[in-house]
């Protein structure tokens, strides 16, 4: 205990004491609530909802009664009555905090309390799980409680969305679930799903070509199950929706072959702590010779060196069956924290293609980002956020600093009986595995179930092979055979069971003693043998992951034990252990299969883990500081995009006219900025405005006459104002003429909205690319004694200002032309096959990304006949585009449209 705690008491104990009055009040109402019928409970819930939504009462006013009704309902329909400590957990969640509750304490049931209460306020109440299986299971299970309360609940799956319906009674995986559209799923009072489903739906909503295709409600309240996994372990992985960009290149294969000729030391250096590999001067010289170039930086620029180093990383740092597996001819990433395959996710910056080339597989196309958001900023958008996990205390500082979340440790319902034994440390990995096999055999022969945790698929299979040679029957659980996961977990606690698993079995898994189906006699027998024994074969970089593995034993007061077996050849020990420890181990001269127990070594391991945890926290903190800059841009643009989708009639026309006025004012201000009127370039003003709408010679002469009369008696400001008013009046007249020529106002609105969205989306994609380039190169500013973050913010602001100016300019130069042509191209976000990175998938329901993006009908009537071809010289890619957009030909947002070709031909 720290000096602070001894003087002032444990702050967590004080927090728990503040929860006790809530528990007492809920318990006091238990008998009264028990007398109510199901219909009376539903009626009371409906009354509370009306009062809360009319702001006649608050959620806190009804907390005690709602919690009491939820507990009574769960007792009736599930035969599960919330323990007092579970009520405490529910209060903590409602307060927007993280509840740390040990394994087996019933976090799934705890969540029903806070979800039911907050669902009375407004929609957008979400329960975030770590995989689709848990989302579906929990809705089938807890949906019975919500249904009895008169609340609706749904779950999002990769391929389909479902809503709980007590009338659907098929046995098996679809029990009580009926398929619904994604829009209908989000209309439910409570929605269960994974972080990627919620994240990608948010991004797709902000790519939708019309409001009717958006699916999500406003975000309101979220409870994140296994909150440390999602907000910490996955925080560095952004969610990205992308589309194929350039064609895959044979250079990846060439580089993959070349790097195999390099030797570590003379040709390249490996930094395993930073997971980096870089070429030495000798290595670069060797590559230059192999490629036949004199200077690699001159011949191929930074891009060639980048791809070479990615090929090198793929060769020496990324190992098959550790960081990835090869399945059906594809490279699939393996999550280092959960051990699960992450289908659809791809390494970025060409690394995935480099691995494909290394494994001699088909190389997939690179991609262009259409939309992206980090996990951190996704969940920081919720006005109220809460979480549950068994291991949060070690990361309490990060939760508070990044998310503003406090951690409350909820006491267990029964005292923990697990025996966590001292680590056994061996000289070699081989000696460690021999000792592990002996320990497994001993406990298997006694009948005690054993769960063995490994850090990778490869080591999982190595240990499995050793057990097979020893004749020890066992089950293997890893990402390669995840289809049998449920069956393996069900039988992992049976008498004599041996399960060798990756981190898949370390989180969100309840191992029932005696196995499933539950047998009291079998359970009692296993309890008498000491319960589940957990063996860890290696320490993870994070203490949380180790604690999760230990937590599989000793659930709900059951007996159990755990022990870690380590060696000096383990990755963590090899990379972070100091030489003093290694030399001391060697001096002892013990056999490789004899364990060593030493406090100094144990402390060193813990220090190494703390060091890695601190380093990872710094990386995530650094990531969020940079992403916050981009997040401000994202929020502003998505807000603007939503306004464009929602605006109709006069509001839409007012916005377009405001854009036209701002553009005219900007043009005039730029060309009349001098205090010397002789330097004003009025002719250029007319020429630029002429790219927006045609200005006749007569109109120019009229304005010249007005300015000539004002020249002697008016100030510069007045003359500038006169010119601005005149041109804006012309713009309004032209706009009125165009709008009056349309018989169908709704058709006109479609066209105008299409112009705005196409322009905004095209520039947004370009802005994402520019920001990505800026981010990659900004670190070099540190060499010039400048803070890269400050420089990034400054340049990002410049890029954002340019973005807004380009949106204004391109919209102004497009409106009249497109309305005349009566044709609008798709938004660049529409009609594109999207690839989702991060935890990426492509949905196939009615609101899948393909269907959302492809469902926008092209806003067109019969376009006028193409202008007759005009003989003209070829336009250079870097020349100004003749369509009048003011951009280079290669960058023109209209370049692929029909009206662009017509206008360009006409201009030439």
């Amino acid at each position: 205990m720290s000096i602070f705690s001894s003087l002032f008491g444990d702050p967590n104990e004080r927090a728990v004491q503040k929860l006790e009055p809530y528990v007492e009040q809920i318990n006091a109402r238990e008998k009264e609530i028990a007398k109510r019928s199901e219909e009376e409970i539903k009626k009371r819930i409906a009354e509370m909802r009306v009062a809360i939504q009319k702001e006649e009462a608050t959620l806190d006013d009804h907390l005690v009664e709602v919690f009491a009704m939820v507990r009574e309902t769960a007792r009736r329909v599930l035969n599960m009555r919330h323990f007092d400590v579970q009520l405490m957990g529910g209060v903590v969640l409602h307060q927007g905090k993280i509840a740390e509750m040990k394994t087996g304490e019933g976090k799934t049931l705890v969540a029903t309390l806070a979800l039911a209460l907050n669902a009375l306020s407004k929609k957008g109440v979400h329960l975030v799980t770590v995989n689709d299986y848990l989302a579906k299971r929990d809705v089938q299970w807890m949906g019975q409680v919500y249904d009895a309360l008169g609340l609706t609940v749904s779950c999002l799956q990769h391929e389909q969305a479902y809503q709980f319906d007590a009338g659907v009674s098929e046995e098996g995986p679809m029990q009580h679930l009926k398929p619904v559209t994604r829009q209908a799923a989000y209309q439910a009072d409570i929605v269960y799903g994974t972080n990627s489903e919620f994240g990608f739906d948010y991004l797709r909503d902000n790519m939708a070509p019309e409001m009717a295709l958006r699916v999500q409600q406003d975000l309101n309240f979220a409870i994140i199950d296994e909150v440390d996994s999602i907000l910490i372990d996955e925080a560095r992985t952004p969610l990205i929706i992308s589309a194929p960009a350039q064609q895959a290149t044979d250079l990846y294969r060439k580089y993959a072959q070349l790097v195999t000729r390099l030797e570590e030391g003379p040709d390249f250096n490996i930094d395993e702590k930073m997971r980096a590999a870089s070429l030495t001067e000798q290595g670069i010289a060797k590559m230059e010779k192999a490629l036949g170039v004199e200077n690699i930086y001159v011949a191929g620029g930074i891009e060639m060196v980048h791809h070479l180093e990615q090929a090198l990383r793929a060769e020496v740092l990324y190992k098959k069956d550790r960081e990835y597996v090869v399945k059906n001819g594809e490279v699939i990433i393996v999550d280092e924290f959960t051990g699960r395959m992450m289908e659809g996710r791809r390494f970025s910056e060409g690394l995935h293609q480099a691995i494909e080339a290394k494994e001699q597989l088909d190389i997939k196309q690179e991609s262009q980002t259409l939309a992206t958001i980090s996990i951190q900023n996704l969940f920081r958008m919720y006005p109220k956020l809460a979480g549950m996990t068994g291991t949060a205390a070690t990361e309490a500082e990060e939760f508070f600093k990044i998310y503003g979340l406090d951690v409350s440790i909820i006491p267990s319902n029964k005292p923990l009986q697990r025996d966590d034994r001292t680590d056994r440390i061996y000289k070699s990995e081989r000696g460690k595995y021999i000792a592990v096999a002996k320990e497994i055999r001993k406990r298997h022969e006694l009948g005690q179930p054993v769960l063995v945790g490994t850090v990778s698929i490869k080591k999982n299979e190595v240990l499995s092979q050793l057990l097979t040679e020893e004749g020890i029957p066992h089950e293997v659980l890893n990402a390669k055979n995840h289809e049998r996961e449920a069956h393996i977990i069900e039988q992992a606690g049976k008498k004599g069971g041996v399960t060798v698993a990756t981190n898949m079995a370390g989180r969100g898994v309840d191992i029932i003693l005696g196995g499933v189906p539950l047998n009291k006699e079998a359970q009692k027998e296993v309890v008498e043998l000491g319960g589940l024994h957990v063996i860890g074969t290696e320490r993870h970089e994070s203490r949380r992951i180790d604690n999760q593995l230990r937590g599989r034993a000793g659930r709900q007061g059951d007996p159990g034990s755990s022990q870690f077996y380590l060696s000096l050849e383990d990755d963590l020990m090899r990379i972070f252990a100091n030489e003093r420890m290694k030399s001391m181990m060697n001096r002892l001269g013990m056999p490789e299969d004899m364990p060593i127990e030493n406090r100094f070594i144990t402390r060193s391991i813990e220090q190494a883990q703390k060091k890695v945890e601190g380093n990872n926290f710094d990386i995530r903190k650094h990531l969020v500081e940079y992403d916050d800059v981009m997040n401000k841009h994202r929020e502003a643009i998505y807000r603007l995009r939503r306004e464009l989708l929602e605006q109709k009639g006069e509001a839409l026309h007012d916005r377009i006219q405001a854009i036209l006025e701002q553009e005219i004012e900007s043009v005039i201000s730029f060309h009349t900025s001098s205090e010397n009127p002789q330097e004003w370039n009025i002719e250029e003003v007319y020429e630029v405005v002429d790219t927006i709408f045609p200005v006749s010679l007569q109109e120019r002469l009229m304005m010249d006459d007005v300015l000539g009369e004002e020249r002697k008696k008016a100030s510069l400001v007045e003359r500038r104002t006169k010119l601005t008013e005149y041109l804006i009046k012309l713009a309004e007249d032209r706009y009125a003429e165009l709008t009056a020529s349309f018989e169908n106002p709704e058709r006109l609105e479609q066209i105008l909205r299409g112009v705005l969205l196409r322009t905004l989306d095209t520039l947004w994609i370009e802005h994402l690319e520019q920001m990505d380039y800026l981010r990659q190169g900004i670190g070099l500013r540190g060499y010039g004694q400048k803070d890269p973050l400050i420089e990034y913010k400054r340049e990002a602001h410049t890029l954002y200002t340019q973005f807004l100016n380009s949106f204004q300019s391109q919209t102004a130069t497009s409106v009249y032309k497109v309305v005349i042509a009566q044709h609008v191209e798709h938004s660049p976000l529409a009609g594109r096959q999207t690839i989702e990175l991060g935890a990426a998938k492509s949905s196939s329901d009615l609101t899948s990304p393909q269907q959302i993006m492809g469902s926008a009908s092209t806003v067109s009537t019969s376009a006028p006949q193409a202008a007759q071809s005009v003989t003209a010289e070829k336009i250079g890619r870097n020349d100004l585009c003749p369509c009048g957009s003011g951009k280079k030909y290669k960058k023109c947002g209209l370049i692929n449209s029909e009206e662009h070709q017509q206008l360009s031909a006409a201009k030439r």
Side-chain angles (χ1 to χ4, degrees):
M1 183 181 290
S2 67
I3 296 174
F4 181 87
S5 296
S6 62
L7 290 174
F8 300 102
D10 185 346
N12 191 74
E13 285 185 11
R14 293 201 304 273
V16 170
Q17 288 171 3
K18 290 180 181 178
L19 300 174
E20 290 174 353
Y22 289 103
V23 175
E24 291 170 0
Q25 293 174 55
I26 295 166
N27 287 337
R29 301 201 61 175
E30 186 167 17
K31 290 183 179 179
E32 172 215 333
I33 300 295
K35 295 176 183 177
R36 296 183 187 178
S37 67
E38 181 176 324
E39 290 306 313
E40 288 174 330
I41 289 176
K42 284 184 177 180
K43 182 180 178 182
R44 180 58 182 148
I45 288 287
E47 291 171 351
M48 290 177 173
R49 187 201 291 266
V50 171
I52 290 169
Q53 292 183 354
K54 287 184 175 180
E55 298 185 354
E56 296 170 355
T58 65
L59 292 175
D60 288 340
D61 293 337
H62 293 301
L63 184 150
V64 170
E65 187 176 358
V66 170
F67 276 33
M69 288 192 290
V70 173
R71 177 159 72 173
E72 175 59 24
T73 302
R75 186 191 65 78
R76 292 177 185 178
V77 302
L78 299 178
N79 196 27
M80 299 173 73
R81 177 184 175 276
H82 294 76
F83 301 129
D84 287 356
V85 292
Q86 290 176 314
L87 298 177
M88 290 181 180
V91 175
V92 167
L93 294 177
H94 168 65
Q95 292 174 343
K97 299 177 182 178
I98 293 173
E100 180 179 296
M101 303 181 73
K102 301 302 179 189
T103 303
E105 290 298 306
K107 292 188 285 290
T108 306
L109 189 62
V110 170
T112 58
L113 298 162
L115 289 172
L117 176 60
N118 282 269
L120 303 183
S121 174
K122 58 180 89 169
K123 296 189 188 296
V125 174
H126 300 158
L127 189 289
V128 186
T129 66
V130 293
N131 58 56
D132 282 347
Y133 165 75
L134 290 176
K136 183 189 285 187
R137 183 204 70 179
D138 291 353
V139 166
Q140 289 175 310
W141 190 11
M142 297 299 138
Q144 300 170 70
V145 177
Y146 301 124
D147 186 64
L149 291 167
L151 300 174
T152 56
V153 60
S154 61
C155 68
L156 308 174
Q157 300 284 286
H158 172 30
E159 298 293 342
Q160 178 68 58
Y162 299 93
Q163 188 157 330
F164 181 89
D165 186 341
V168 179
S169 57
E170 291 97 337
E171 293 298 323
M174 299 308 299
Q175 187 176 21
H176 301 315
L177 295 180
K178 67 175 182 181
V180 293
T181 66
R182 228 165 177 80
Q183 285 168 317
Y186 276 106
Q187 288 290 333
D189 297 315
I190 300 163
V191 186
Y192 281 63
T194 63
N195 58 62
S196 59
E197 293 300 325
F198 287 119
F200 284 130
D201 282 341
Y202 169 76
L203 292 176
R204 287 195 290 262
D205 274 0
N206 287 287
M207 297 164 62
E210 51 188 274
M211 283 298 294
L213 295 174
R214 291 172 64 98
V215 298
Q216 277 189 348
Q217 304 290 311
D218 290 338
L219 304 179
N220 178 25
F221 172 56
I223 297 176
I224 303 177
D225 192 14
E226 306 296 354
V227 64
D228 52 327
S229 172
I230 292 172
L231 294 190
I232 292 181
D233 296 339
E234 296 190 25
R236 286 159 62 181
T237 304
L239 302 177
I240 302 171
I241 295 182
S242 65
Q246 62 192 52
Q247 294 293 321
T249 171
D250 290 336
L251 287 178
Y252 286 111
R253 297 194 192 283
K254 187 174 184 179
Y255 294 152
Q257 294 170 356
L258 288 178
V259 295
T260 59
R261 306 177 190 177
L262 300 175
E263 298 177 29
E264 183 181 356
D267 297 333
F268 65 88
N269 295 318
I270 296 177
D271 187 339
E272 291 192 71
K273 293 183 182 181
M274 300 300 294
R275 294 192 64 74
S278 54
L279 293 165
T280 63
E281 287 188 18
Q282 181 176 319
I284 291 173
K286 186 178 285 188
M287 290 295 96
E288 288 171 341
K289 183 177 180 181
L291 291 166
V293 299
E294 186 175 339
N295 187 318
I296 197 171
Y297 290 93
V298 173
I302 296 296
E303 184 179 356
M304 182 179 284
V305 180
H306 169 75
H307 284 302
L308 266 175
E309 293 197 340
Q310 291 292 58
L312 183 61
R313 289 181 68 206
E315 179 66 28
V316 301
L317 290 174
Y318 287 77
K319 301 298 183 184
K320 184 178 176 181
D321 292 341
R322 190 178 71 182
E323 281 79 18
Y324 65 91
V325 296
V326 176
K327 182 181 178 183
N328 298 328
E330 292 188 11
V331 172
I332 300 176
I333 300 173
V334 173
D335 190 327
E336 64 173 310
F337 299 105
T338 67
R340 298 179 185 276
M341 284 193 294
M342 309 174 83
E343 300 203 31
R345 181 175 294 185
R346 291 174 65 84
F347 294 113
S348 61
E349 299 177 358
L351 177 60
H352 209 94
Q353 287 87 349
I355 295 173
E356 288 170 335
K358 166 190 168 183
E359 296 292 343
Q360 299 182 350
L361 303 171
D362 290 338
I363 298 173
K364 302 296 188 297
Q365 283 183 313
E366 293 189 17
S367 56
Q368 178 185 43
T369 299
L370 303 182
T372 178
I373 191 171
S374 69
I375 293 290
Q376 292 162 319
N377 276 317
L378 172 67
F379 288 109
R380 287 162 75 192
M381 290 193 299
Y382 284 85
K384 186 162 77 169
L385 188 64
M388 308 180 292
T389 182
T391 48
T394 57
E395 313 291 347
E397 179 186 7
E398 180 167 354
F399 281 124
F400 183 76
K401 286 187 175 179
I402 293 183
Y403 302 100
L405 292 170
D406 288 318
V407 176
S408 291
I409 302 174
I410 307 299
S412 55
N413 185 50
K414 296 179 181 178
L416 182 66
Q417 295 189 46
R418 189 180 67 239
D419 179 14
D420 294 328
R421 300 180 181 179
T422 307
D423 297 348
R424 289 185 175 180
I425 302 149
Y426 296 82
K427 187 176 178 180
S428 70
E429 188 173 61
R430 179 174 175 276
K432 175 184 71 175
Y433 282 139
I434 291 172
V436 167
K438 287 181 180 177
E439 182 70 12
I440 293 172
R441 175 178 290 281
K442 183 180 76 173
R443 294 184 182 272
H444 171 67
E445 290 174 350
L446 289 172
Q448 184 178 12
V450 180
L451 173 66
V452 187
T454 61
V455 297
S456 69
I457 297 172
K458 185 174 182 180
K459 293 184 178 180
N460 181 271
E461 293 175 342
V462 166
L463 184 57
S464 173
Q465 180 63 33
L466 180 59
L467 294 180
T468 300
E469 292 171 0
E470 293 288 324
I472 302 172
H474 63 281
E475 287 278 9
V476 176
L477 177 59
N478 59 41
K480 288 185 174 180
N481 65 343
H482 63 96
E483 296 87 357
R484 296 185 60 241
E485 177 181 356
H487 173 73
I488 292 172
I489 293 300
E490 283 178 353
Q491 302 307 315
K494 70 179 182 181
K495 182 179 179 181
V498 177
T499 307
V500 181
T502 56
N503 291 336
M504 287 177 69
R507 183 186 288 278
V509 171
D510 277 350
I511 295 177
I512 309 298
L513 297 186
V516 176
L518 189 62
N519 183 304
K520 292 292 185 182
E521 291 184 8
Q523 188 175 49
K524 182 179 179 182
E525 193 174 359
V526 172
V527 167
E528 290 173 351
L529 290 168
L532 180 69
H533 180 64
V534 172
I535 295 177
T537 59
E538 199 166 327
R539 285 279 196 177
H540 199 275
E541 287 184 354
S542 170
R543 290 170 293 168
R544 287 183 299 106
I545 311 299
D546 295 340
N547 291 338
Q548 287 156 11
L549 180 61
R550 289 189 193 275
R552 299 314 101 196
R555 60 187 295 280
Q556 293 187 1
D558 288 338
S561 53
S562 70
Q563 191 162 35
F564 276 82
Y565 285 67
L566 315 175
S567 83
L568 284 184
E569 295 176 355
D570 294 347
D571 288 344
L572 187 73
M573 301 284 282
R574 181 173 51 79
I575 297 170
F576 292 98
N578 57 42
E579 292 301 321
R580 180 182 165 197
M581 181 200 301
K582 295 177 181 177
S583 60
M584 183 189 73
M585 294 280 285
N586 289 326
R587 280 200 310 273
L588 293 174
M590 294 182 177
E592 62 178 6
D593 62 343
M594 182 175 289
I596 302 164
E597 295 182 11
N598 185 288
R599 289 182 181 178
F600 168 73
I601 296 174
T602 302
R603 279 200 304 271
S604 296
I605 295 167
E606 291 177 357
Q607 288 303 315
Q609 288 179 305
K610 287 180 181 178
K611 191 186 300 181
V612 178
E613 289 168 359
N615 183 53
N616 289 338
F617 173 35
D618 289 340
I619 291 172
R620 289 188 291 267
K621 188 169 181 289
H622 187 66
L623 175 74
V624 81
E625 287 173 341
Y626 278 87
D627 195 60
D628 278 347
V629 178
M630 188 65 210
N631 196 51
K632 288 184 175 66
H633 298 185
R634 182 189 301 109
E635 288 178 347
I637 297 307
Y638 283 178
R639 186 165 52 249
L640 170 60
R641 199 178 191 282
R642 182 164 183 168
E643 288 173 3
L644 296 178
L645 288 173
E646 290 177 335
Q647 285 180 332
K648 295 181 180 179
E650 189 175 343
L652 181 63
H653 292 303
D654 286 348
R655 177 180 285 277
I656 290 175
Q657 290 189 23
I659 291 173
L660 293 170
E661 290 178 14
Q662 290 166 6
E663 180 63 13
I664 290 170
E665 287 173 358
S666 298
V667 170
I668 293 173
S669 176
F670 182 79
H671 291 292
T672 62
S673 58
S674 173
E675 293 300 313
N676 181 1
Q678 299 300 321
E679 296 178 4
W680 286 14
N681 193 342
I682 302 298
E683 188 63 27
E684 186 64 27
V685 171
Y686 291 146
E687 288 183 7
V688 174
V689 172
D690 195 47
T691 65
I692 301 175
F693 61 88
V695 180
S696 68
L697 179 60
Q698 183 181 0
E699 288 166 335
R700 295 190 190 189
L701 293 174
M702 287 177 61
M703 189 64 235
D704 288 341
D705 290 343
V706 172
L707 289 177
E709 293 174 7
E710 297 283 342
R711 189 171 294 132
K712 294 180 181 179
K713 59 183 180 180
S715 67
L716 294 180
V717 173
E718 290 172 330
R719 291 167 63 187
R720 191 181 289 120
T721 301
K722 198 79 174 177
L723 177 61
T724 303
E725 290 174 349
Y726 178 75
L727 289 176
I728 287 177
K729 179 68 168 60
L730 279 180
E732 290 173 348
D733 292 344
R734 291 287 190 280
Y735 189 78
E737 291 170 9
L738 287 174
T739 55
S741 67
F742 265 80
E743 295 180 2
N744 187 342
E746 292 183 1
R747 172 86 185 104
L748 176 60
E749 285 183 25
Q750 271 188 312
I751 292 174
L752 293 173
R753 187 176 293 108
V755 171
L756 293 165
L757 291 177
R758 184 198 58 201
T759 306
L760 186 69
D761 291 341
T762 301
L763 292 172
W764 177 242
I765 292 170
E766 190 174 299
H767 183 67
L768 288 174
E769 185 177 11
Q770 289 179 321
M771 289 291 288
D772 189 44
Y773 286 145
L774 175 63
R775 174 75 179 276
Q776 290 177 22
I778 203 70
L780 298 174
R781 304 292 176 89
Y783 293 109
Q785 305 302 310
K786 294 181 179 179
D787 185 335
L789 181 60
I790 293 175
E791 292 293 301
Y792 179 74
K793 289 179 178 179
R794 184 177 61 79
E795 296 213 13
H797 177 70
T798 301
L799 287 175
Y800 184 65
T801 302
Q802 291 173 357
F803 170 87
L804 294 179
N805 290 339
S806 296
F807 173 65
Q808 175 180 295
S809 175
Q810 288 197 29
T811 299
T813 55
S814 301
V815 166
Y816 294 91
K817 301 178 180 68
V818 176
V819 172
I820 291 172
Q822 299 188 30
H823 175 87
V824 177
E825 289 292 311
H826 278 303
S827 158
L829 301 182
R832 301 192 55 173
Q833 284 293 110
T834 58
I835 304 168
E836 299 172 4
L837 304 181
K841 319 172 178 71
S842 56
S843 303
S844 62
D845 57 39
L846 294 178
T847 54
S848 68
Q850 290 87 346
Q851 289 173 318
I852 285 181
M853 297 307 115
S855 61
S857 57
T858 304
V859 184
S860 63
T861 58
S862 53
Q865 292 289 322
Q868 290 183 336
S869 59
V870 179
T871 303
E873 60 183 11
K874 184 178 179 182
I875 304 169
R877 283 171 51 77
N878 289 309
D879 294 341
L880 286 177
C881 185
C883 77
S885 67
K887 301 192 74 175
K888 291 182 179 179
Y889 183 75
K890 66 182 181 182
K891 288 288 189 180
C892 182
L894 301 172
I895 195 166
N896 295 317
S897 67
E898 187 176 335
E899 74 270 17
H900 173 274
Q901 295 160 12
Q902 296 171 20
L903 290 165
S904 296
K907 288 280 183 181
R908 288 180 288 186

